[in-house]
Amino acid sequence: MVLNMGRAGADLAAVAGFHASLGLNTPAPAPGTVKAKILILNGADDPFVKREQYDALKKDFDAAKADYRIIEYPGAVHAFTNPEATELGKKFNLPLRYDAKADQEAKAEAAKFFAANLQK
């Protein structure tokens, strides 16, 4: 949702997406229309986000001159910040898994990002 809002040019200072789907269902933004600074924190091994999707996102954001950063956590899959993800993944046979190290690192990155980009 937040990436869709960023791509659509919502009047936001900063958005961060955790295990995000990249918002590619929103039309590519025109140059200069992305107002928010964007941080994407994803598991590098998340099977729900394909490499081609990252390529498309980067192409769109570069063309729009968006201020964005993507951080991928090696070994982490979808829902890595959810402590219940591993059990849910097993229950529903889905590639979900909690990763305490990636969770901690991603939340620290988001805290730094928001501290730097949001006025108090």
Side-chain angles (χ1 to χ4, degrees):
M1 178 58 75
V2 296
L3 296 182
N4 284 334
M5 292 174 69
R7 285 174 65 91
D11 190 18
L12 300 168
V15 298
F18 291 82
H19 25 87
S21 66
L22 305 185
L24 296 174
N25 55 332
T26 303
T33 60
V34 177
K35 297 173 184 151
K37 292 186 179 187
I38 297 171
L39 177 63
I40 299 168
L41 305 152
N42 276 4
D45 297 328
D46 185 340
F48 294 123
V49 185
K50 306 294 183 217
R51 196 56 34 206
E52 310 83 63
Q53 293 172 304
Y54 282 109
D55 294 342
L57 176 98
K58 290 174 184 178
K59 180 181 173 191
D60 288 352
F61 278 171
D62 289 344
K65 299 189 181 347
D67 185 343
Y68 72 99
R69 182 172 175 215
I70 300 169
I71 300 173
E72 294 182 78
Y73 296 94
V77 297
H78 199 73
F80 67 87
T81 63
N82 182 348
E84 297 172 8
T86 303
E87 187 174 319
L88 289 169
K90 289 177 184 175
K91 181 177 179 179
F92 296 106
N93 195 29
L94 291 170
L96 311 176
R97 186 175 63 247
Y98 177 64
D99 186 317
K101 182 175 186 273
D103 178 24
Q104 182 179 20
E105 290 175 9
K107 287 177 180 170
E109 283 292 339
K112 283 190 324 191
F113 174 73
F114 286 127
N117 293 296
L118 298 179
Q119 294 180 348
K120 295 179 182 182

